[in-house]
Amino acid sequence: MTDIKELLDNEAKRINHISFIDKDPVQFPRRFESLQDIEIVSFLAALLAWGKRSMICNDIEKLLTLMDHSPYNYLMDEGYEDLDPKLNIHRTFFASHLKHLLKGFRKIYADYGSLDAFADKHRIGETSAPAWELTDLINKVLREVNMSDCSRCLPLNINHTALKRVNMALRWLVRDDGIVDLGVWKSIPKSKLYIPLDVHVGNVARELGLLTRKANDRKSVEELTHKLRKFRPEDPAIYDFALFGIGIGC
């Protein structure tokens, strides 16, 4: 495992560089200064991050324009109420889904002031699986406010989903090395983060002998992250850069 750790460390150092920012959705929350704007854009950008990267970034840009580049004000002013429900935001995500999500977020901001404070109040950082616990709590708020569920906003199958996009948003918000990730959250320690698992990351992990399961599900995220914690128990999610970069050549 020494050779694998060396490979991962080298790849993480190569990819976790300021030059990565302009190619990745992480560029969008980095444009903002207030905690609330950063949080909102982090979750929205991560939730839209599936498909071709250029299309993802174009659609996030359009969404921020729709929000007048003031996401927190747009949220609290309920600007989403004026949207045509059939307006396409990204692929199969429409304005009706965006409204469902933002109504729930508005409730959280009205009650707690920030998503970080919401997570802190519910002691998410003390749990063994922060992303899943936080998603479950947010879904409960969405259900309460909208009187319905919406799987397009956040996954509902908490026991099985890999939660790739939520884990990615948390990486941005929690990791604090001052390079790519923003590190603005205090409610969750970076030692508790999990790897954002997608098809490419899963395939690379299997090739390296870090993952035995075939499915890209929650158990696979847990297995992979458990092994990576042996390399860097204080910061396992740094290896997301390495597993993403290997085979991509970026």
Side-chain angles (χ1 to χ4, degrees), residues 51-70:
K52 190 175 180 181
R53 288 173 84 194
S54 59
M55 180 182 179
I56 293 167
C57 291
N58 284 339
D59 286 346
I60 297 170
E61 191 75 69
K62 291 178 182 177
L63 177 57
L64 290 180
T65 299
L66 186 70
M67 303 173 86
D68 295 324
H69 299 279
S70 298

Side-chain angles (χ1 to χ4, degrees), residues 70-125:
S70 298
Y72 178 66
N73 289 337
Y74 180 87
L75 176 73
M76 299 310 292
D77 291 342
E78 300 178 279
Y80 48 80
E81 293 289 356
D82 297 328
L83 294 178
D84 179 350
K86 297 180 180 179
L87 175 68
N88 182 249
I89 303 297
H90 176 68
R91 301 188 70 177
T92 59
F93 190 82
F94 290 84
S96 58
H97 307 129
L98 178 65
K99 178 180 177 180
H100 185 101
L101 179 69
L102 294 185
K103 283 182 69 175
F105 273 21
R106 189 183 187 281
K107 171 66 173 173
I108 292 172
Y109 279 97
D111 290 348
Y112 297 90
S114 72
L115 286 168
D116 189 30
F118 174 72
D120 185 59
K121 180 67 175 180
H122 292 280
R123 304 172 74 172
I124 294 298

